[in-house]
Amino acid sequence: MKEISRKLKGDIERLTNKTFKFDDRIGEGWFSAVYFLKTKEIAEKYISNNKITMQFFQKSDAVLCGTDEAIALLHTFAKNPDKLDIYSLKDGDKVSPYETVLTVTGPYQDFGYLEGIIDGILARRTSVATNVYNVVKAARTSGTQKPVIFMGDRDDHYTQQAGDGYAAFIGGSTAQATHAMNEWWGKEGMGTMPHAMIQMFQGDIVAAAKAYNEMYPNDELMVLVDYNNDVINDSLKVAREFGETLKGVRVDTSKNMVDKYFLRNQHLMGKFDPRGVNPELIFALRKALDQEGFQHVKIIASGGFEEKRIREFEKLGVPVDLYGVGRSLLSIGVSFTGDNVLLNGEPQAKEGRKYRPNPRLEKVEYFEQS
């Protein structure tokens, strides 16, 4: 059983290194800034009896993520981790600017060199979780929550997929493109066909869909319909062929292309930007499907969607049923800072920084890491 299942059932409080599988070189200082490593050595030699409190915060309204990972890091690589006093919020908590999300108290030389790694974990995970949360929120502007598919596999290095997928899950996305994105939270990747599949059937969208349906008969049939830049005609072709079996069509028209529907109906042009996946195209697609009795076919929109664009679509009542979102969810907009704010229990911090107690923090109990 995956740890996330045990956590969601309440059997454990936090995920551990059984989930995160840290690189052993972290313990060698390989990923730590050199000045942290030098400070560790100086503290060991000259002031080994120090006891500092390190406090972590950021400067936005955000959805916190990465606390389980940061705590597992400390429990795996800190010296005497069972003697550290750790207090933390939890993944998924809403946090305010400058709110303390994590404190660690103990000898600097036991854990201080992990500061930058913790900052990075919290920054990336919180950024993705917050981005996804905002997009999911935008996707219910119309009053109905539209699902958001996390499709960020091509927008960053593949090694980031598991952590990004978990952060996206914390932010509210429960459908993701790859198995790796689902690794930490226990599901499987989802998806139907890329443009490459249609290309191999020489642009014959019906033939491609038939092959897919025969190969994966237990999947819900969702067909990509923009390959020939004729979304409405191709959607009707597959709808007529598959009827109730067809569950949805995905529109992914390039932002530099004008669909052939508008070239056939040039009297519609001039009042809006006809390029890409635009509201008028989706309205026309929904109308065409409904007129032929295919009200059950859902419309998935992807290609360049982000919070603002989704909000605009929703305010206009554009009949999108699911949004596929990628690149915009991976932008790093939240940065964390770790400050040493107490020395041997007394205030001692960089000018302008101070200890900020947070009654929401919960004490973290030590547990062995694998």
Side-chain angles (χ1 to χ4, degrees):
M1 178 185 293
K2 283 189 177 285
E3 279 196 315
I4 189 67
S5 299
R6 296 180 61 205
K7 180 179 177 180
L8 293 174
K9 287 171 59 179
D11 293 340
I12 58 174
E13 283 292 313
R14 295 183 180 271
L15 303 177
T16 73
N17 194 29
K18 290 179 181 178
T19 292
F20 303 120
K21 301 179 178 66
F22 294 121
D23 189 321
D24 289 340
R25 292 175 297 173
I26 291 172
E28 302 168 7
W30 188 251
F31 299 97
S32 294
V34 171
Y35 62 13
F36 289 140
L37 302 178
K38 291 178 175 178
T39 302
K40 175 179 181 290
E41 293 175 346
I42 290 170
E44 287 172 339
K45 181 175 182 178
Y46 293 101
I47 43 174
S48 60
N49 63 344
N50 76 87
K51 191 173 185 180
I52 63 102
T53 294
M54 189 179 293
Q55 151 186 293
F56 294 85
F57 71 95
Q58 53 82 53
K59 301 177 183 179
S60 306
D61 289 311
V63 177
L64 181 64
C65 189
T67 62
D68 283 10
E69 194 174 352
I71 290 163
L73 180 90
L74 288 161
H75 284 172
T76 303
F77 296 108
K79 183 179 179 181
N80 303 314
D82 55 318
K83 295 178 179 166
L84 296 178
D85 286 325
I86 303 175
Y87 288 81
S88 178
L89 297 180
K90 292 186 175 180
D91 291 348
D93 283 346
K94 309 295 193 311
V95 294
S96 303
Y98 297 97
E99 181 177 8
T100 301
V101 304
L102 171 69
T103 62
V104 188
T105 301
Y108 181 89
Q109 62 270 24
D110 285 1
F111 72 94
Y113 77 103
L114 299 171
E115 175 188 335
I117 302 175
I118 293 172
D119 284 335
I121 287 172
L122 294 174
R124 186 176 185 100
R125 304 294 179 244
T126 300
S127 291
V128 174
T130 302
N131 293 339
V132 172
Y133 174 81
N134 289 335
V135 162
V136 170
K137 185 177 178 181
R140 63 171 178 267
T141 304
S142 64
T144 301
Q145 180 65 70
K146 311 288 181 64
V148 174
I149 304 172
F150 180 46
M151 302 173 68
D153 54 298
R154 67 189 61 196
D155 298 305
D156 207 340
H157 197 274
Y158 72 94
T159 56
Q160 300 299 323
Q161 288 187 20
D164 289 343
Y166 171 72
F169 164 70
I170 292 296
S173 171
T174 55
Q176 302 184 15
T178 74
H179 295 317
M181 289 175 179
N182 294 263
E183 180 183 359
W184 291 1
W185 62 281
K187 302 295 182 182
E188 291 186 349
M190 66 162 291
T192 53
M193 60 180 67
H195 294 102
M197 181 177 170
I198 302 169
Q199 182 256 0
M200 287 187 289
F201 284 90
Q202 298 183 331
D204 187 335
I205 195 166
V206 173
K210 279 184 177 179
Y212 184 93
N213 194 51
E214 290 174 7
M215 192 76 178
Y216 302 102
N218 296 324
D219 281 10
E220 290 193 338
L221 183 60
M222 304 275 190
V223 179
L224 185 61
V225 293
D226 64 278
Y227 182 87
N228 298 305
N229 197 37
D230 200 357
V231 160
I232 293 174
N233 277 341
D234 277 354
S235 294
L236 291 174
K237 284 179 183 178
V238 291
R240 291 165 186 158
E241 179 69 30
F242 294 98
E244 292 294 325
T245 300
L246 180 66
K247 300 305 180 184
V249 292
R250 178 162 75 93
V251 184
D252 191 51
T253 306
S254 168
K255 64 180 180 180
N256 298 318
M257 298 287 288
V258 176
D259 190 271
K260 292 175 183 176
Y261 169 77
F262 296 117
L263 302 181
R264 291 191 297 268
N265 295 276
Q266 294 194 23
H267 63 283
L268 300 175
M269 305 279 272
K271 299 178 181 179
F272 60 92
D273 185 348
R275 296 172 300 175
V277 183
N278 61 78
E280 286 74 12
L281 181 60
I282 302 300
F283 278 120
L285 174 58
R286 182 76 272 164
K287 181 179 179 181
L289 288 168
D290 290 352
Q291 284 179 337
E292 294 203 19
F294 302 120
Q295 291 88 349
H296 69 282
V297 176
K298 296 183 182 301
I299 297 175
I300 305 161
S302 61
F305 278 90
E306 33 72 34
E307 178 188 355
K308 179 181 177 183
R309 190 174 176 207
I310 290 175
R311 199 175 297 280
E312 290 171 350
F313 268 55
E314 290 297 291
K315 286 182 178 179
L316 291 171
V318 181
V320 172
D321 297 291
L322 298 90
Y323 291 98
V325 189
R327 182 184 309 166
S328 68
L329 300 180
L330 299 180
S331 62
I332 307 301
V334 180
S335 296
F336 275 80
T337 298
D339 279 331
N340 293 353
V341 290
L342 297 178
L343 178 61
N344 300 320
E346 298 296 325
Q348 182 59 246
K350 169 186 173 180
E351 190 72 25
R353 302 287 168 82
K354 64 179 181 179
Y355 179 46
R356 295 176 181 269
N358 184 355
R360 296 210 293 153
L361 296 177
E362 297 179 6
K363 183 172 177 57
V364 176
E365 299 300 329
Y366 172 73
F367 41 88
E368 292 276 353
Q369 303 288 299
S370 62

